[in-house]
Amino acid sequence: MTIDVLLSGFEPFAGAEENESWQAVSRALPALRESGLRVEALELPVEFERAGDLLEQAVRTHRPALVIAVGLAAGRSGITPERVAINVRDARIPDNAGASPVDEPVVPGGPVGRFTRLPVKAMVAALDEAGIAGSVSQTAGTYVCNDVFYRLQHLLATDPELADVRGGFVHVPSADVVSPEAAASALAAMIGTIRETDGDIARTGGAEH
């Protein structure tokens, strides 16, 4: 492995001046590097296909032990590690390149869903210990966040050379719910837990809706 952790966040979209996902990633870097981890980060465009291509290129270049893609879910009330990516693109709004796919597959011929190998329940437990609101999410939506998540999981599942790489997706809420500084601390706490955890813990993480 070339590095320990590869992080990604997104550029602003839908008229916003900033994207909390990239704010969290960029603020997390100093502490992670000070802890001795070899960490790289990239800011992805909010564009179907291109964002996934760039993340795939970065994974192949850096060969990290761990990949965490981070996105913004403005309506949520806490940090939400994602359990599963689904093979569909269905855009409510155009992406930053003007694309609005409807009912298109992320990867033609790919399975309906791909699960992360990250210990999402242990990650939420780490958030609890840090006093940061969080929960397991069962859906990453059908926009560019899910697109990147599915592309990442498909890559790691199908390329034997990347079989030892673990990857997943985390959504952060808007800054008025969880500050970028707190979101950065949350990322650091979850990364520490992931590196110490092979499986996951037995605790509820389901939802009725």
Side-chain angles (χ1 to χ4, degrees):
M1 300 293 182
T2 305
I3 64 172
D4 297 307
V5 183
L6 174 64
L7 294 172
S8 72
F10 283 102
E11 68 182 1
F13 70 106
E17 294 184 0
E18 295 182 297
N19 189 312
E20 285 87 339
S21 67
W22 180 245
Q23 288 181 305
V25 166
S26 59
R27 284 167 169 77
L29 293 178
L32 292 171
R33 287 170 175 160
E34 286 174 10
S35 73
L37 293 178
R38 296 163 295 173
V39 184
E40 296 293 336
L42 71 158
E43 185 178 21
L44 296 175
V46 180
E47 297 180 26
F48 289 99
E49 196 71 31
R50 182 165 172 252
D53 287 346
L54 291 173
L55 183 59
E56 178 176 338
Q57 179 181 340
V59 171
R60 294 189 184 283
T61 297
H62 296 296
R63 296 299 175 97
L66 171 64
V67 186
I68 298 181
V70 184
L72 171 64
R76 296 189 182 177
S77 58
I79 307 287
T80 48
E82 297 293 343
R83 192 196 296 255
V84 59
I86 60 173
N87 193 14
V88 66
R89 296 170 173 168
D90 195 356
R92 181 180 62 81
I93 60 173
D95 69 8
N96 281 359
S100 298
V102 174
D103 298 340
E104 295 180 4
V106 178
V107 177
V112 171
R114 287 206 177 270
F115 286 85
T116 184
R117 290 170 52 205
L118 299 188
V120 291
K121 294 183 178 181
M123 291 161 69
V124 172
L127 296 178
D128 291 344
E129 292 180 8
I132 300 170
S135 61
V136 175
S137 172
Q138 318 300 335
T139 174
T142 57
Y143 196 53
V144 181
C145 286
N146 177 75
D147 205 65
V148 164
F149 184 23
Y150 189 93
R151 286 283 303 274
L152 173 62
Q153 298 310 129
H154 188 78
L155 172 67
L156 300 184
T158 57
D159 189 335
E161 294 186 359
L162 301 174
D164 292 334
V165 180
R166 291 197 292 172
F169 198 98
V170 172
H171 267 118
V172 299
S174 57
D176 61 325
V177 176
V178 175
S179 71
E181 291 77 17
S185 296
L187 287 177
M190 289 186 290
I191 288 168
T193 293
I194 294 165
R195 288 172 54 80
E196 297 170 356
T197 308
D198 290 327
D200 207 346
I201 61 175
R203 62 175 274 173
T204 183
E208 287 74 47
H209 53 78

